Amino acid sequence: PAYCFGEAQLYRQLRLLSGLRSWVQRRLGLALVLPVGPRGLPGAPFPAPLRLVVGAPLEVPHIPQPSKADIDEHHARYVSALQALFARHREAAGYG
């Protein structure tokens, strides 16, 4: 797993058409995001310090036809490892 501290500070969410975007999300389950940076420019990030931390690789067996239980088990392992990675590095990254 890997986690990037500071990523959420790179862009602001444009409020344009927020009612329509909320309706689309409720109806279709599709979030229409409009991230903008300085001066409202899309794709241009705000200056923000980033800290990327990478954890140890997770061993995942190749399962040709994984069951829902198989998927849930390995997803839970990934989420647990990601949460531990965040907890281990959050203070050093300024999120303590």
PDB file of all heavy atoms in Angstrom, residues 10-43:
ATOM      1  N   LEU A  10      -4.256  19.910  -2.923  1.00  0.00           N
ATOM      2  CA  LEU A  10      -3.792  20.315  -4.249  1.00  0.00           C
ATOM      3  C   LEU A  10      -4.853  21.056  -5.063  1.00  0.00           C
ATOM      4  O   LEU A  10      -4.527  21.881  -5.910  1.00  0.00           O
ATOM      5  CB  LEU A  10      -3.321  19.093  -5.040  1.00  0.00           C
ATOM      6  CG  LEU A  10      -2.085  18.390  -4.504  1.00  0.00           C
ATOM      7  CD1 LEU A  10      -1.786  17.151  -5.340  1.00  0.00           C
ATOM      8  CD2 LEU A  10      -0.893  19.335  -4.493  1.00  0.00           C
ATOM      9  N   TYR A  11      -6.128  20.739  -4.832  1.00  0.00           N
ATOM     10  CA  TYR A  11      -7.210  21.323  -5.633  1.00  0.00           C
ATOM     11  C   TYR A  11      -8.372  21.729  -4.741  1.00  0.00           C
ATOM     12  O   TYR A  11      -8.541  21.209  -3.647  1.00  0.00           O
ATOM     13  CB  TYR A  11      -7.732  20.312  -6.671  1.00  0.00           C
ATOM     14  CG  TYR A  11      -6.687  19.914  -7.676  1.00  0.00           C
ATOM     15  CD1 TYR A  11      -5.950  18.749  -7.521  1.00  0.00           C
ATOM     16  CD2 TYR A  11      -6.416  20.715  -8.776  1.00  0.00           C
ATOM     17  CE1 TYR A  11      -4.969  18.380  -8.422  1.00  0.00           C
ATOM     18  CE2 TYR A  11      -5.440  20.359  -9.687  1.00  0.00           C
ATOM     19  CZ  TYR A  11      -4.723  19.196  -9.501  1.00  0.00           C
ATOM     20  OH  TYR A  11      -3.758  18.849 -10.403  1.00  0.00           O
ATOM     21  N   ARG A  12      -9.174  22.628  -5.250  1.00  0.00           N
ATOM     22  CA  ARG A  12     -10.441  22.995  -4.620  1.00  0.00           C
ATOM     23  C   ARG A  12     -11.548  22.466  -5.525  1.00  0.00           C
ATOM     24  O   ARG A  12     -11.365  22.337  -6.733  1.00  0.00           O
ATOM     25  CB  ARG A  12     -10.593  24.516  -4.474  1.00  0.00           C
ATOM     26  CG  ARG A  12      -9.482  25.201  -3.730  1.00  0.00           C
ATOM     27  CD  ARG A  12      -9.542  24.893  -2.230  1.00  0.00           C
ATOM     28  NE  ARG A  12      -8.499  25.614  -1.526  1.00  0.00           N
ATOM     29  CZ  ARG A  12      -7.320  25.107  -1.176  1.00  0.00           C
ATOM     30  NH1 ARG A  12      -7.021  23.869  -1.467  1.00  0.00           N
ATOM     31  NH2 ARG A  12      -6.428  25.826  -0.545  1.00  0.00           N
ATOM     32  N   GLN A  13     -12.681  22.185  -4.937  1.00  0.00           N
ATOM     33  CA  GLN A  13     -13.828  21.684  -5.702  1.00  0.00           C
ATOM     34  C   GLN A  13     -14.670  22.871  -6.167  1.00  0.00           C
ATOM     35  O   GLN A  13     -15.128  23.671  -5.350  1.00  0.00           O
ATOM     36  CB  GLN A  13     -14.658  20.745  -4.827  1.00  0.00           C
ATOM     37  CG  GLN A  13     -15.800  20.079  -5.523  1.00  0.00           C
ATOM     38  CD  GLN A  13     -15.372  19.175  -6.656  1.00  0.00           C
ATOM     39  OE1 GLN A  13     -15.712  19.468  -7.790  1.00  0.00           O
ATOM     40  NE2 GLN A  13     -14.647  18.117  -6.382  1.00  0.00           N
ATOM     41  N   LEU A  14     -14.860  22.997  -7.459  1.00  0.00           N
ATOM     42  CA  LEU A  14     -15.671  24.068  -8.020  1.00  0.00           C
ATOM     43  C   LEU A  14     -17.133  23.838  -7.660  1.00  0.00           C
ATOM     44  O   LEU A  14     -17.637  22.723  -7.743  1.00  0.00           O
ATOM     45  CB  LEU A  14     -15.487  24.082  -9.546  1.00  0.00           C
ATOM     46  CG  LEU A  14     -15.924  25.332 -10.286  1.00  0.00           C
ATOM     47  CD1 LEU A  14     -15.135  26.541  -9.799  1.00  0.00           C
ATOM     48  CD2 LEU A  14     -15.706  25.153 -11.773  1.00  0.00           C
ATOM     49  N   ARG A  15     -17.822  24.876  -7.246  1.00  0.00           N
ATOM     50  CA  ARG A  15     -19.220  24.768  -6.831  1.00  0.00           C
ATOM     51  C   ARG A  15     -20.198  24.891  -8.009  1.00  0.00           C
ATOM     52  O   ARG A  15     -21.388  24.728  -7.838  1.00  0.00           O
ATOM     53  CB  ARG A  15     -19.541  25.825  -5.789  1.00  0.00           C
ATOM     54  CG  ARG A  15     -18.669  25.738  -4.558  1.00  0.00           C
ATOM     55  CD  ARG A  15     -19.495  25.322  -3.368  1.00  0.00           C
ATOM     56  NE  ARG A  15     -18.679  25.300  -2.168  1.00  0.00           N
ATOM     57  CZ  ARG A  15     -18.350  24.185  -1.544  1.00  0.00           C
ATOM     58  NH1 ARG A  15     -18.744  23.034  -2.001  1.00  0.00           N
ATOM     59  NH2 ARG A  15     -17.614  24.238  -0.456  1.00  0.00           N
ATOM     60  N   LEU A  16     -19.677  25.142  -9.191  1.00  0.00           N
ATOM     61  CA  LEU A  16     -20.504  25.316 -10.378  1.00  0.00           C
ATOM     62  C   LEU A  16     -21.370  24.074 -10.625  1.00  0.00           C
ATOM     63  O   LEU A  16     -20.878  22.950 -10.594  1.00  0.00           O
ATOM     64  CB  LEU A  16     -19.596  25.567 -11.587  1.00  0.00           C
ATOM     65  CG  LEU A  16     -20.281  25.815 -12.920  1.00  0.00           C
ATOM     66  CD1 LEU A  16     -21.030  27.142 -12.885  1.00  0.00           C
ATOM     67  CD2 LEU A  16     -19.261  25.823 -14.032  1.00  0.00           C
ATOM     68  N   LEU A  17     -22.640  24.281 -10.837  1.00  0.00           N
ATOM     69  CA  LEU A  17     -23.589  23.203 -11.135  1.00  0.00           C
ATOM     70  C   LEU A  17     -23.642  22.135 -10.041  1.00  0.00           C
ATOM     71  O   LEU A  17     -23.872  20.955 -10.318  1.00  0.00           O
ATOM     72  CB  LEU A  17     -23.261  22.540 -12.483  1.00  0.00           C
ATOM     73  CG  LEU A  17     -23.245  23.462 -13.712  1.00  0.00           C
ATOM     74  CD1 LEU A  17     -22.748  22.698 -14.924  1.00  0.00           C
ATOM     75  CD2 LEU A  17     -24.615  24.046 -13.963  1.00  0.00           C
ATOM     76  N   SER A  18     -23.459  22.540  -8.793  1.00  0.00           N
ATOM     77  CA  SER A  18     -23.424  21.554  -7.706  1.00  0.00           C
ATOM     78  C   SER A  18     -24.753  20.829  -7.555  1.00  0.00           C
ATOM     79  O   SER A  18     -24.778  19.642  -7.231  1.00  0.00           O
ATOM     80  CB  SER A  18     -23.010  22.214  -6.392  1.00  0.00           C
ATOM     81  OG  SER A  18     -23.945  23.193  -6.003  1.00  0.00           O
ATOM     82  N   GLY A  19     -25.874  21.503  -7.798  1.00  0.00           N
ATOM     83  CA  GLY A  19     -27.183  20.841  -7.720  1.00  0.00           C
ATOM     84  C   GLY A  19     -27.312  19.737  -8.752  1.00  0.00           C
ATOM     85  O   GLY A  19     -27.756  18.619  -8.436  1.00  0.00           O
ATOM     86  N   LEU A  20     -26.928  20.031  -9.984  1.00  0.00           N
ATOM     87  CA  LEU A  20     -26.987  19.029 -11.053  1.00  0.00           C
ATOM     88  C   LEU A  20     -26.025  17.891 -10.765  1.00  0.00           C
ATOM     89  O   LEU A  20     -26.377  16.713 -10.929  1.00  0.00           O
ATOM     90  CB  LEU A  20     -26.638  19.667 -12.403  1.00  0.00           C
ATOM     91  CG  LEU A  20     -26.500  18.697 -13.572  1.00  0.00           C
ATOM     92  CD1 LEU A  20     -27.832  18.034 -13.877  1.00  0.00           C
ATOM     93  CD2 LEU A  20     -25.951  19.409 -14.789  1.00  0.00           C
ATOM     94  N   ARG A  21     -24.836  18.205 -10.302  1.00  0.00           N
ATOM     95  CA  ARG A  21     -23.847  17.172 -10.007  1.00  0.00           C
ATOM     96  C   ARG A  21     -24.321  16.276  -8.867  1.00  0.00           C
ATOM     97  O   ARG A  21     -24.115  15.050  -8.898  1.00  0.00           O
ATOM     98  CB  ARG A  21     -22.500  17.811  -9.690  1.00  0.00           C
ATOM     99  CG  ARG A  21     -21.908  18.445 -10.944  1.00  0.00           C
ATOM    100  CD  ARG A  21     -20.615  19.199 -10.773  1.00  0.00           C
ATOM    101  NE  ARG A  21     -19.838  18.864  -9.625  1.00  0.00           N
ATOM    102  CZ  ARG A  21     -19.322  19.772  -8.792  1.00  0.00           C
ATOM    103  NH1 ARG A  21     -19.533  21.051  -8.993  1.00  0.00           N
ATOM    104  NH2 ARG A  21     -18.596  19.403  -7.780  1.00  0.00           N
ATOM    105  N   SER A  22     -24.977  16.846  -7.866  1.00  0.00           N
ATOM    106  CA  SER A  22     -25.523  16.041  -6.765  1.00  0.00           C
ATOM    107  C   SER A  22     -26.621  15.122  -7.269  1.00  0.00           C
ATOM    108  O   SER A  22     -26.709  13.963  -6.865  1.00  0.00           O
ATOM    109  CB  SER A  22     -26.078  16.945  -5.666  1.00  0.00           C
ATOM    110  OG  SER A  22     -25.047  17.640  -5.037  1.00  0.00           O
ATOM    111  N   TRP A  23     -27.467  15.629  -8.158  1.00  0.00           N
ATOM    112  CA  TRP A  23     -28.548  14.815  -8.722  1.00  0.00           C
ATOM    113  C   TRP A  23     -27.971  13.631  -9.505  1.00  0.00           C
ATOM    114  O   TRP A  23     -28.431  12.503  -9.353  1.00  0.00           O
ATOM    115  CB  TRP A  23     -29.428  15.683  -9.622  1.00  0.00           C
ATOM    116  CG  TRP A  23     -30.550  14.926 -10.238  1.00  0.00           C
ATOM    117  CD1 TRP A  23     -31.769  14.675  -9.686  1.00  0.00           C
ATOM    118  CD2 TRP A  23     -30.566  14.310 -11.526  1.00  0.00           C
ATOM    119  NE1 TRP A  23     -32.524  13.936 -10.549  1.00  0.00           N
ATOM    120  CE2 TRP A  23     -31.817  13.690 -11.695  1.00  0.00           C
ATOM    121  CE3 TRP A  23     -29.634  14.211 -12.553  1.00  0.00           C
ATOM    122  CZ2 TRP A  23     -32.150  13.000 -12.844  1.00  0.00           C
ATOM    123  CZ3 TRP A  23     -29.974  13.519 -13.700  1.00  0.00           C
ATOM    124  CH2 TRP A  23     -31.218  12.930 -13.838  1.00  0.00           C
ATOM    125  N   VAL A  24     -26.963  13.897 -10.329  1.00  0.00           N
ATOM    126  CA  VAL A  24     -26.328  12.824 -11.109  1.00  0.00           C
ATOM    127  C   VAL A  24     -25.723  11.783 -10.171  1.00  0.00           C
ATOM    128  O   VAL A  24     -25.859  10.577 -10.394  1.00  0.00           O
ATOM    129  CB  VAL A  24     -25.252  13.399 -12.066  1.00  0.00           C
ATOM    130  CG1 VAL A  24     -24.400  12.291 -12.670  1.00  0.00           C
ATOM    131  CG2 VAL A  24     -25.899  14.229 -13.159  1.00  0.00           C
ATOM    132  N   GLN A  25     -25.108  12.239  -9.093  1.00  0.00           N
ATOM    133  CA  GLN A  25     -24.495  11.294  -8.162  1.00  0.00           C
ATOM    134  C   GLN A  25     -25.556  10.434  -7.486  1.00  0.00           C
ATOM    135  O   GLN A  25     -25.377   9.221  -7.345  1.00  0.00           O
ATOM    136  CB  GLN A  25     -23.669  12.026  -7.119  1.00  0.00           C
ATOM    137  CG  GLN A  25     -22.925  11.070  -6.200  1.00  0.00           C
ATOM    138  CD  GLN A  25     -21.939  11.771  -5.299  1.00  0.00           C
ATOM    139  OE1 GLN A  25     -21.753  12.977  -5.385  1.00  0.00           O
ATOM    140  NE2 GLN A  25     -21.310  11.021  -4.431  1.00  0.00           N
ATOM    141  N   ARG A  26     -26.657  11.048  -7.068  1.00  0.00           N
ATOM    142  CA  ARG A  26     -27.721  10.266  -6.423  1.00  0.00           C
ATOM    143  C   ARG A  26     -28.373   9.297  -7.393  1.00  0.00           C
ATOM    144  O   ARG A  26     -28.655   8.155  -7.054  1.00  0.00           O
ATOM    145  CB  ARG A  26     -28.783  11.199  -5.848  1.00  0.00           C
ATOM    146  CG  ARG A  26     -28.383  11.876  -4.554  1.00  0.00           C
ATOM    147  CD  ARG A  26     -29.561  12.579  -3.891  1.00  0.00           C
ATOM    148  NE  ARG A  26     -30.337  13.417  -4.797  1.00  0.00           N
ATOM    149  CZ  ARG A  26     -30.065  14.692  -5.088  1.00  0.00           C
ATOM    150  NH1 ARG A  26     -29.015  15.284  -4.544  1.00  0.00           N
ATOM    151  NH2 ARG A  26     -30.829  15.377  -5.917  1.00  0.00           N
ATOM    152  N   ARG A  27     -28.620   9.739  -8.617  1.00  0.00           N
ATOM    153  CA  ARG A  27     -29.338   8.917  -9.598  1.00  0.00           C
ATOM    154  C   ARG A  27     -28.464   7.833 -10.235  1.00  0.00           C
ATOM    155  O   ARG A  27     -28.902   6.711 -10.409  1.00  0.00           O
ATOM    156  CB  ARG A  27     -29.907   9.792 -10.714  1.00  0.00           C
ATOM    157  CG  ARG A  27     -31.043  10.653 -10.291  1.00  0.00           C
ATOM    158  CD  ARG A  27     -32.205   9.794  -9.910  1.00  0.00           C
ATOM    159  NE  ARG A  27     -33.422  10.535 -10.181  1.00  0.00           N
ATOM    160  CZ  ARG A  27     -34.610  10.031 -10.084  1.00  0.00           C
ATOM    161  NH1 ARG A  27     -34.757   8.779  -9.755  1.00  0.00           N
ATOM    162  NH2 ARG A  27     -35.665  10.759 -10.305  1.00  0.00           N
ATOM    163  N   LEU A  28     -27.244   8.206 -10.605  1.00  0.00           N
ATOM    164  CA  LEU A  28     -26.389   7.293 -11.358  1.00  0.00           C
ATOM    165  C   LEU A  28     -25.232   6.715 -10.553  1.00  0.00           C
ATOM    166  O   LEU A  28     -24.537   5.822 -11.029  1.00  0.00           O
ATOM    167  CB  LEU A  28     -25.823   8.013 -12.592  1.00  0.00           C
ATOM    168  CG  LEU A  28     -26.838   8.636 -13.546  1.00  0.00           C
ATOM    169  CD1 LEU A  28     -26.133   9.362 -14.670  1.00  0.00           C
ATOM    170  CD2 LEU A  28     -27.789   7.583 -14.080  1.00  0.00           C
ATOM    171  N   GLY A  29     -25.015   7.259  -9.346  1.00  0.00           N
ATOM    172  CA  GLY A  29     -23.884   6.797  -8.551  1.00  0.00           C
ATOM    173  C   GLY A  29     -22.554   7.243  -9.123  1.00  0.00           C
ATOM    174  O   GLY A  29     -21.522   6.627  -8.864  1.00  0.00           O
ATOM    175  N   LEU A  30     -22.571   8.308  -9.909  1.00  0.00           N
ATOM    176  CA  LEU A  30     -21.370   8.813 -10.574  1.00  0.00           C
ATOM    177  C   LEU A  30     -21.073  10.215 -10.054  1.00  0.00           C
ATOM    178  O   LEU A  30     -21.904  11.116 -10.194  1.00  0.00           O
ATOM    179  CB  LEU A  30     -21.594   8.852 -12.090  1.00  0.00           C
ATOM    180  CG  LEU A  30     -20.490   9.438 -12.940  1.00  0.00           C
ATOM    181  CD1 LEU A  30     -19.258   8.548 -12.884  1.00  0.00           C
ATOM    182  CD2 LEU A  30     -20.957   9.583 -14.367  1.00  0.00           C
ATOM    183  N   ALA A  31     -19.919  10.390  -9.452  1.00  0.00           N
ATOM    184  CA  ALA A  31     -19.534  11.696  -8.925  1.00  0.00           C
ATOM    185  C   ALA A  31     -18.852  12.509 -10.021  1.00  0.00           C
ATOM    186  O   ALA A  31     -17.845  12.082 -10.580  1.00  0.00           O
ATOM    187  CB  ALA A  31     -18.610  11.533  -7.732  1.00  0.00           C
ATOM    188  N   LEU A  32     -19.421  13.653 -10.330  1.00  0.00           N
ATOM    189  CA  LEU A  32     -18.826  14.558 -11.321  1.00  0.00           C
ATOM    190  C   LEU A  32     -18.030  15.613 -10.560  1.00  0.00           C
ATOM    191  O   LEU A  32     -18.593  16.533 -10.000  1.00  0.00           O
ATOM    192  CB  LEU A  32     -19.923  15.224 -12.165  1.00  0.00           C
ATOM    193  CG  LEU A  32     -20.842  14.290 -12.941  1.00  0.00           C
ATOM    194  CD1 LEU A  32     -21.935  15.086 -13.648  1.00  0.00           C
ATOM    195  CD2 LEU A  32     -20.041  13.496 -13.950  1.00  0.00           C
ATOM    196  N   VAL A  33     -16.737  15.456 -10.524  1.00  0.00           N
ATOM    197  CA  VAL A  33     -15.892  16.396  -9.793  1.00  0.00           C
ATOM    198  C   VAL A  33     -15.339  17.441 -10.751  1.00  0.00           C
ATOM    199  O   VAL A  33     -15.072  17.157 -11.919  1.00  0.00           O
ATOM    200  CB  VAL A  33     -14.743  15.672  -9.053  1.00  0.00           C
ATOM    201  CG1 VAL A  33     -15.288  14.758  -7.983  1.00  0.00           C
ATOM    202  CG2 VAL A  33     -13.879  14.899 -10.012  1.00  0.00           C
ATOM    203  N   LEU A  34     -15.186  18.643 -10.238  1.00  0.00           N
ATOM    204  CA  LEU A  34     -14.616  19.738 -11.019  1.00  0.00           C
ATOM    205  C   LEU A  34     -13.473  20.354 -10.208  1.00  0.00           C
ATOM    206  O   LEU A  34     -13.618  21.422  -9.618  1.00  0.00           O
ATOM    207  CB  LEU A  34     -15.689  20.787 -11.334  1.00  0.00           C
ATOM    208  CG  LEU A  34     -16.856  20.319 -12.200  1.00  0.00           C
ATOM    209  CD1 LEU A  34     -17.935  21.395 -12.290  1.00  0.00           C
ATOM    210  CD2 LEU A  34     -16.369  19.952 -13.588  1.00  0.00           C
ATOM    211  N   PRO A  35     -12.321  19.688 -10.149  1.00  0.00           N
ATOM    212  CA  PRO A  35     -11.206  20.219  -9.361  1.00  0.00           C
ATOM    213  C   PRO A  35     -10.503  21.362 -10.097  1.00  0.00           C
ATOM    214  O   PRO A  35     -10.261  21.281 -11.296  1.00  0.00           O
ATOM    215  CB  PRO A  35     -10.282  19.017  -9.205  1.00  0.00           C
ATOM    216  CG  PRO A  35     -10.549  18.187 -10.412  1.00  0.00           C
ATOM    217  CD  PRO A  35     -12.000  18.408 -10.762  1.00  0.00           C
ATOM    218  N   VAL A  36     -10.214  22.417  -9.354  1.00  0.00           N
ATOM    219  CA  VAL A  36      -9.506  23.562  -9.931  1.00  0.00           C
ATOM    220  C   VAL A  36      -8.371  23.978  -9.005  1.00  0.00           C
ATOM    221  O   VAL A  36      -8.401  23.735  -7.807  1.00  0.00           O
ATOM    222  CB  VAL A  36     -10.448  24.763 -10.174  1.00  0.00           C
ATOM    223  CG1 VAL A  36     -11.483  24.432 -11.232  1.00  0.00           C
ATOM    224  CG2 VAL A  36     -11.122  25.207  -8.899  1.00  0.00           C
ATOM    225  N   GLY A  37      -7.377  24.610  -9.591  1.00  0.00           N
ATOM    226  CA  GLY A  37      -6.235  25.109  -8.839  1.00  0.00           C
ATOM    227  C   GLY A  37      -6.262  26.625  -8.774  1.00  0.00           C
ATOM    228  O   GLY A  37      -7.321  27.243  -8.846  1.00  0.00           O
ATOM    229  N   PRO A  38      -5.092  27.257  -8.683  1.00  0.00           N
ATOM    230  CA  PRO A  38      -5.008  28.713  -8.595  1.00  0.00           C
ATOM    231  C   PRO A  38      -5.703  29.394  -9.784  1.00  0.00           C
ATOM    232  O   PRO A  38      -5.621  28.919 -10.915  1.00  0.00           O
ATOM    233  CB  PRO A  38      -3.502  28.988  -8.615  1.00  0.00           C
ATOM    234  CG  PRO A  38      -2.859  27.712  -8.210  1.00  0.00           C
ATOM    235  CD  PRO A  38      -3.777  26.625  -8.671  1.00  0.00           C
ATOM    236  N   ARG A  39      -6.394  30.481  -9.490  1.00  0.00           N
ATOM    237  CA  ARG A  39      -7.129  31.270 -10.491  1.00  0.00           C
ATOM    238  C   ARG A  39      -8.194  30.450 -11.223  1.00  0.00           C
ATOM    239  O   ARG A  39      -8.552  30.747 -12.355  1.00  0.00           O
ATOM    240  CB  ARG A  39      -6.165  31.905 -11.487  1.00  0.00           C
ATOM    241  CG  ARG A  39      -5.213  32.885 -10.854  1.00  0.00           C
ATOM    242  CD  ARG A  39      -4.374  33.601 -11.906  1.00  0.00           C
ATOM    243  NE  ARG A  39      -3.254  34.224 -11.260  1.00  0.00           N
ATOM    244  CZ  ARG A  39      -1.998  33.776 -11.303  1.00  0.00           C
ATOM    245  NH1 ARG A  39      -1.712  32.704 -11.997  1.00  0.00           N
ATOM    246  NH2 ARG A  39      -1.049  34.411 -10.677  1.00  0.00           N
ATOM    247  N   GLY A  40      -8.649  29.360 -10.600  1.00  0.00           N
ATOM    248  CA  GLY A  40      -9.690  28.537 -11.200  1.00  0.00           C
ATOM    249  C   GLY A  40      -9.232  27.667 -12.347  1.00  0.00           C
ATOM    250  O   GLY A  40     -10.059  27.168 -13.116  1.00  0.00           O
ATOM    251  N   LEU A  41      -7.934  27.476 -12.487  1.00  0.00           N
ATOM    252  CA  LEU A  41      -7.421  26.685 -13.597  1.00  0.00           C
ATOM    253  C   LEU A  41      -7.539  25.193 -13.322  1.00  0.00           C
ATOM    254  O   LEU A  41      -7.019  24.694 -12.324  1.00  0.00           O
ATOM    255  CB  LEU A  41      -5.949  27.034 -13.853  1.00  0.00           C
ATOM    256  CG  LEU A  41      -5.663  28.444 -14.332  1.00  0.00           C
ATOM    257  CD1 LEU A  41      -4.160  28.684 -14.381  1.00  0.00           C
ATOM    258  CD2 LEU A  41      -6.283  28.676 -15.692  1.00  0.00           C
ATOM    259  N   PRO A  42      -8.200  24.462 -14.204  1.00  0.00           N
ATOM    260  CA  PRO A  42      -8.246  23.010 -14.028  1.00  0.00           C
ATOM    261  C   PRO A  42      -6.888  22.398 -14.350  1.00  0.00           C
ATOM    262  O   PRO A  42      -6.211  22.831 -15.276  1.00  0.00           O
ATOM    263  CB  PRO A  42      -9.307  22.562 -15.033  1.00  0.00           C
ATOM    264  CG  PRO A  42      -9.351  23.637 -16.060  1.00  0.00           C
ATOM    265  CD  PRO A  42      -8.953  24.913 -15.368  1.00  0.00           C
ATOM    266  N   GLY A  43      -6.493  21.423 -13.558  1.00  0.00           N
ATOM    267  CA  GLY A  43      -5.235  20.726 -13.815  1.00  0.00           C
ATOM    268  C   GLY A  43      -4.002  21.381 -13.241  1.00  0.00           C
ATOM    269  O   GLY A  43      -2.944  20.773 -13.203  1.00  0.00           O
TER     270      GLY A  43
END
